[in-house]
Amino acid sequence: MTTPPNTAAAAPEIDVNQLAADNDTGGRNPGPLVAKLMLGLCLAWSLFQLWIASPLPFALGVGVFNDTQSRSLHLAFAVFLAYLAYPAFNRSPRGHVPVLDWVFALVGAFCAAYLFVFYRELATRPGQPTTTDLTVAAVGVVLLLEATRRALGLPMVIVAIVFLGYTFFGPYMPDMIAHKGASLSRAMSHQWLTTEGVFGVALGVSSGFIFLFVLFGSLLDRAGAGNYFIKSAFALLGHMRGGPAKAAVVSSAATGIISGSSIANVVTTGTFTIPLMKRVGYRPDQAGAVEVSSSVNGQIMPPVMGAAAFLMVEYVGIPYVEVMKHAFLPAVISYIALFYIVHLEALKADLKGLPRRSQATGFQRLLSLATTVAGLLVLSGIVYYGIGWVKGALGNAAFPVIGLGLLCAYVGLMWVGSRQPVLKLDDPNAPVFELPETAPTLLSGLHYLLSVVVLIWCLMVEQMSPALSAFWATVFMIFVMLTQRPLTVLLRGEGTLGAATLAGFKDLVAGLEAGARNMIGIGVATAAAGIIVGTVSLTGIGLVMTEVVELLSGGNLMLMLVLVATISLILGMGLPTTANYIVVSTLMAPVVVELGAQSGLLVPLIAVHLFVFYFGLMADVTPPVGLASFAAAAIARADPIKTGVTAFYYSMRTAILPFLFIFNTQLLMIGIASIWHLALTVVISVVAMLVFAAATQGWFFARSRWYETVALLLVTFTLFRPGFWWDMVYAPYANAPPAEFMKLVEEAKPGERKRIWIEGQNMDGKDIRKGVLLPLGDAGPARERLRRIGVTVVPLGGDMQIAQVQFGSQAEKLGLEQGFKIAGIELPADRPVKEWMFVPALVLLGLVVMLQVRRRPAASGAPAPA
């Protein structure tokens, strides 16, 4: 299966690199003067974002910007750089910037910075824009859309234009979606001069959170962490059956954690992994599909989730740590299933792994790995409890001590790495390719993980904001980039200190530039998506979408979810992750909340947002617009459509997860009662996903027969949603009178949610009856617990009436309205736990295993009979 060098990958490499450049950095290569200007702007943008995220402006009283001002400058940088970096058309010059692009860049940046420059003047005339204001707004919207077209292509622009058209032509629409329309003055003022449209929450998250995490990822990659993740994955897994595919899954998961782009992930890891997958026997479309599936899944993996995690904080109204907790298990079991899928493909085709450099026994390798892992666990425990003791003993004086400890750990890990041989991955197209050694490879880059540890420590332990956590992690990463090369010279005794210091500084500058360039597309995407958000708030189209889906589904809950999933998939086509989430969460999440509530589907808001987000992301995989599939197909020299279809087939495990966790929120770690309950949930979820992968692949221990596939699917469904069968035997809820509402709220456990039914007339005069899952937070008096979520209730006869709903509160997001009454309360019924359904499911699984194990010998040498 050896591929001659420079034949399989050399031809498409130019296309792939161009695709990556066009999507991430613009692909334009202007003259030296313009290149230096762009470099200066990128550095200024990165330093500006670090400044506003740091504590320094408030400590020094200098350079303090409010949210609107920082968003305005953020967009000005993005628009200006978009016109310099991205040519207008494929035939446009790439060696210089045309005069018209300079004009667009300057005017567009001025329009974006207008809110910053004239902030005080605009504040004195709210709702009374001048002709100049409206002219700037209209020109700004047009130039923003053109910048978006250049950076992201037509799909995002078409969606935005359709929504703008809906704003103006509402009276001429069909009755179901008609509205009174808006004038040009009102629309432009709403979209550009307020924080309801372009300069709304989405752009605020881009400026406040996303930039810092993208910058952190760029610095980490430039420092060498991306290469370290790939080398480590191949050293650990490359020798297994289908080893390159398994290494691709793990390395893409690692790089996807810090990457904000599916395409960037494909190109970064795929140029190395795809040729090796083909070498060991995977078809070209399979090799590309594995890389696509694992790269796209990086967008659902915390802590970054393609920057959508930070948007969820604002849209759902829960802390960032909670978003990570809820998203973690589905992402992990999805990756485990993909790992198992490539293993099953290797079994079916009897594929082998790649040769190792050494001839150590399996026991020796396992012992070496176990020793390394055990050492890291012990070290982690010492660090965690040691820092806790230092903080308790020294109080405010603990910071310099902890900083000194971090410095010592960094120097120690650099010393460990310097004792390892310099490892470089061979050319994947070379006639002979050997895997790197496991232990030296893992030990060579442990210092990269310290910056990730700093990030997670600040987020999880110190409970800092995401922006401040990313700031400190980035500052530490800057320190690493400036010192790792000089330290390596000192520890190895090779090279010159001056050259190493200069190289480290150049790496830092390149990392800061790459971070800003990678943010151009995200900056204009979040701004353009703000047009859609602004249209929803201006026209009320969100309610219209609910009515349309309700009409098409006929009130059927499952059909409604399928329709929402399909629409989310269509809306996500061609959009980057960040814009994708903004669009589907703005339009489709309220549909699920409203119609689900009317049908008795009461789930936390985070489950709904993850549901639409997952299906929006599937557009990156799905033909005909799956850009990640196109990139992988170019590397694999395969048909893009066939690669996309295969990738979608592999991604079915991701597609079923939203339907499962929308009905069983324990998959999101919601409703977990104890550590044993958590362990059972994790184990059963992993087993269920592996069984589903085996069912869809038609192979478990041997080739599956049709009745075995049916049985495996039944086992999967039961393990993931045991309550479906249990509810047929035992009623899940018992009713309580509304008069007991305050008592039940006060007695509820911390973090508990109450299922209540509310009814009344909404603002449109429509009678509403729906369920709401009310989060009660920490323990306390009933009125205090309700006040924290933004609602006040008063007794009215034998009922409880909603007296007040605070604007922007969790209660408002859940659909509570003033004047509604609480019509019913549902309490969990006293019944046996639903997990008893696992027993018959596992018995059936054992029966299938017994049947297949009998045929297993035939599968080891040749394909087993069907």
Side-chain angles (χ1 to χ4, degrees):
M1 300 303 299
T2 300
T3 303
N6 300 323
T7 59
E13 185 177 354
I14 297 175
D15 297 332
V16 169
N17 290 339
Q18 188 61 56
L19 178 62
D22 288 346
N23 279 276
D24 294 327
T25 58
R28 181 177 268 165
N29 186 23
L33 290 178
V34 178
K36 288 179 181 177
L37 173 64
M38 293 178 65
L39 172 61
L41 287 171
C42 288
L43 293 178
W45 194 10
S46 293
L47 294 175
F48 166 73
Q49 296 291 160
L50 284 171
W51 173 262
I52 63 175
S54 73
L56 292 177
F58 297 98
L60 302 176
V62 178
V64 179
F65 302 98
N66 62 32
D67 288 344
T68 302
Q69 291 172 319
S70 60
R71 293 173 191 180
S72 178
L73 289 175
H74 178 81
L75 183 58
F77 275 114
V79 170
F80 192 87
L81 286 169
Y83 280 106
L84 296 190
Y86 292 86
F89 305 101
N90 289 335
R91 63 180 182 274
S92 299
R94 294 175 180 268
H96 70 277
V97 180
V99 174
L100 188 60
D101 284 3
W102 282 108
V103 174
F104 285 168
L106 290 169
V107 176
F110 171 76
C111 293
Y114 190 77
L115 272 70
F116 171 76
V117 176
F118 299 101
Y119 178 78
R120 290 188 178 181
E121 290 83 350
L122 291 169
T124 62
R125 52 174 190 269
Q128 297 177 326
T130 64
T131 303
T132 303
D133 295 341
L134 295 175
T135 302
V136 168
V139 173
V141 167
V142 172
L143 291 178
L144 171 62
L145 291 176
E146 169 59 13
T148 304
R149 183 193 67 80
R150 295 185 182 206
L152 305 174
L154 277 174
M156 185 73 200
V157 177
I158 291 173
V159 173
I161 290 176
V162 167
F163 275 81
L164 280 176
Y166 179 74
T167 300
F168 298 124
F169 298 107
Y172 309 103
M173 296 289 174
D175 288 342
M176 177 173 284
I177 62 173
H179 65 96
K180 65 180 182 179
S183 65
L184 179 64
S185 172
R186 186 181 177 206
M188 291 302 99
S189 176
H190 186 82
Q191 295 285 9
W192 199 265
L193 302 177
T194 72
T195 55
E196 295 293 324
V198 170
F199 295 94
V201 171
L203 189 63
V205 173
S206 176
S207 172
F209 300 150
I210 298 175
F211 192 105
L212 293 169
F213 279 82
V214 171
L215 179 61
F216 174 70
S218 297
L219 293 176
L220 196 58
D221 183 61
R222 186 70 188 185
N227 184 47
Y228 170 70
F229 290 151
I230 296 174
K231 288 193 300 183
S232 299
F234 270 86
L236 287 168
L237 305 168
H239 65 287
M240 298 179 177
R241 280 183 177 270
K246 294 173 180 175
V249 172
V250 174
S251 60
S252 293
T255 56
I257 289 174
I258 60 174
S259 171
S261 166
S262 301
I263 297 174
N265 205 347
V266 167
V267 174
T268 300
T269 58
T271 49
F272 186 81
T273 60
I274 290 175
L276 289 177
M277 282 189 266
K278 292 170 64 179
R279 166 173 294 194
V280 298
Y282 286 95
R283 297 194 317 266
D285 64 293
Q286 287 179 323
V290 168
E291 183 59 47
V292 170
S293 299
S294 51
S295 295
V296 170
N297 265 30
Q299 309 302 291
I300 66 173
M301 175 66 78
V304 177
M305 297 170 63
F310 315 115
L311 289 160
M312 287 182 187
V313 171
E314 299 296 327
Y315 287 175
V316 180
I318 62 175
Y320 175 72
V321 173
E322 289 292 308
V323 173
M324 288 199 296
K325 183 185 79 171
H326 297 319
F328 180 73
L329 183 56
V332 168
I333 62 177
S334 184
Y335 263 115
I336 291 173
L338 181 59
F339 190 91
Y340 188 51
I341 285 171
V342 300
H343 176 70
L344 293 175
E345 292 284 14
L347 284 178
K348 287 192 285 186
D350 196 25
L351 305 181
K352 306 300 180 185
L354 294 169
R356 288 184 176 275
R357 295 182 188 273
S358 70
Q359 301 302 317
T361 65
F363 176 76
Q364 290 172 326
R365 295 192 187 102
L366 184 62
L367 182 62
S368 175
L369 177 62
T371 303
T372 303
V373 172
L376 289 174
L377 291 175
V378 171
L379 181 61
S380 300
I382 292 173
V383 169
Y384 179 80
Y385 291 105
I387 291 179
W389 180 84
V390 169
K391 289 175 65 179
L394 301 181
N396 294 332
F399 182 78
V401 176
I402 294 173
L404 180 62
L406 181 64
L407 177 63
C408 293
Y410 169 63
V411 174
L413 291 178
M414 284 293 298
W415 179 84
V416 171
S418 69
R419 303 276 73 82
Q420 313 308 317
V422 179
L423 298 174
K424 293 184 178 180
L425 284 175
D426 297 338
D427 179 0
N429 298 302
V432 178
F433 180 91
E434 291 182 333
L435 296 173
E437 288 292 336
T438 303
T441 302
L442 293 177
L443 294 173
S444 65
L446 289 177
H447 64 283
Y448 294 126
L449 302 181
L450 276 180
S451 56
V452 181
V453 170
V454 170
L455 175 64
I456 295 175
W457 182 275
C458 291
L459 282 170
M460 306 292 288
V461 180
E462 299 296 335
Q463 297 286 303
M464 294 182 185
S465 69
L468 192 57
S469 300
F471 169 76
W472 287 118
T474 303
V475 167
F476 182 75
M477 198 63 237
I478 291 173
F479 171 75
V480 169
M481 295 188 74
L482 290 174
T483 59
Q484 66 172 350
R485 288 180 182 270
L487 268 176
T488 301
V489 169
L490 292 174
L491 294 171
R492 288 185 181 272
E494 302 172 358
T496 61
L497 193 61
T501 303
L502 181 61
F505 180 76
K506 288 181 177 178
D507 284 343
L508 173 60
V509 171
L512 292 172
E513 180 188 15
R517 279 182 169 267
N518 291 338
M519 272 302 300
I520 296 173
I522 297 176
V524 296
T526 50
I531 294 175
I532 299 165
V533 178
T535 301
V536 171
S537 62
L538 185 61
T539 64
I541 190 178
L543 296 175
V544 172
M545 292 295 295
T546 301
E547 292 175 0
V548 170
V549 173
E550 183 178 20
L551 177 66
L552 294 176
S553 65
N556 183 282
L557 182 60
M558 282 305 301
L559 184 56
M560 179 271 289
L561 291 174
V562 170
L563 281 171
V564 168
T566 304
I567 296 172
S568 298
L569 181 62
I570 295 170
L571 288 172
M573 286 186 175
L575 303 186
T577 304
T578 313
N580 188 328
Y581 171 68
I582 296 169
V583 172
V584 297
S585 64
T586 302
L587 292 176
M588 303 315 302
V591 175
V592 179
V593 171
E594 189 66 27
L595 297 183
Q598 294 176 23
S599 303
L601 176 65
L602 309 184
V603 294
L605 199 54
I606 183 66
V608 176
H609 279 251
L610 286 173
F611 180 90
V612 297
F613 177 54
Y614 269 50
F615 282 104
L617 277 183
M618 291 296 289
D620 273 355
V621 177
T622 311
V625 194
L627 298 179
S629 295
F630 290 166
I635 302 172
R637 297 184 67 92
D639 177 24
I641 300 299
K642 186 177 182 181
T643 302
V645 170
T646 307
F648 183 80
Y649 181 61
Y650 288 164
S651 298
M652 280 198 301
R653 77 207 186 284
T654 306
I656 71 158
L657 272 172
F659 285 99
L660 296 170
F661 64 59
I662 204 79
F663 288 106
N664 181 13
T665 54
Q666 288 178 357
L667 295 175
L668 303 179
M669 298 190 188
I670 296 172
I672 302 296
S674 65
I675 187 66
W676 301 110
H677 193 189
L678 173 63
L680 178 65
T681 301
V682 171
V683 171
I684 290 296
S685 299
V686 171
V687 171
M689 188 53 78
L690 295 182
V691 172
F692 177 76
T696 55
Q697 292 298 302
W699 189 289
F700 196 15
F701 289 89
R703 192 177 301 280
S704 298
R705 292 168 177 162
W706 71 266
Y707 53 85
E708 293 173 336
T709 298
V710 172
L712 291 176
L713 290 174
L714 182 60
V715 169
T716 300
F717 180 77
T718 304
L719 293 180
F720 270 129
R721 197 185 167 196
F724 179 81
W725 310 109
W726 211 235
D727 292 349
M728 295 180 180
V729 182
Y730 300 98
Y733 299 104
N735 294 320
E740 295 185 8
F741 176 70
M742 298 298 283
K743 176 186 175 184
L744 293 171
V745 167
E746 188 152 342
E747 293 176 349
K749 298 177 182 177
E752 189 175 336
R753 289 175 165 87
K754 284 295 178 192
R755 292 174 59 96
I756 64 172
W757 285 87
I758 58 175
E759 58 183 33
Q761 277 193 351
N762 64 9
M763 296 179 64
D764 297 327
K766 184 179 179 181
D767 290 329
I768 299 293
R769 177 180 169 84
K770 63 181 180 180
V772 174
L773 199 61
L774 209 61
L776 298 178
D778 297 332
R783 294 193 181 279
E784 173 64 21
R785 299 183 82 170
L786 294 175
R787 186 192 62 79
R788 287 197 292 259
I789 61 174
V791 64
T792 304
V793 299
V794 294
L796 186 65
D799 297 323
M800 299 296 293
Q801 187 173 46
I802 298 174
Q804 187 177 6
V805 178
Q806 185 178 339
F807 178 75
S809 64
Q810 283 184 290
E812 185 193 43
K813 292 176 181 178
L814 290 170
L816 273 66
E817 295 185 29
Q818 184 176 341
F820 278 34
K821 70 175 183 178
I822 298 175
I825 305 171
E826 293 182 340
L827 303 177
D830 186 13
R831 62 175 188 169
V833 294
K834 61 185 178 182
E835 282 77 10
W836 280 111
M837 284 303 305
F838 293 159
V839 175
L842 294 175
V843 170
L844 179 58
L845 177 62
L847 181 60
V848 175
V849 170
M850 288 174 56
L851 292 173
Q852 292 211 357
V853 165
R854 293 179 181 178
R855 305 199 304 273
R856 193 176 184 181
S860 62

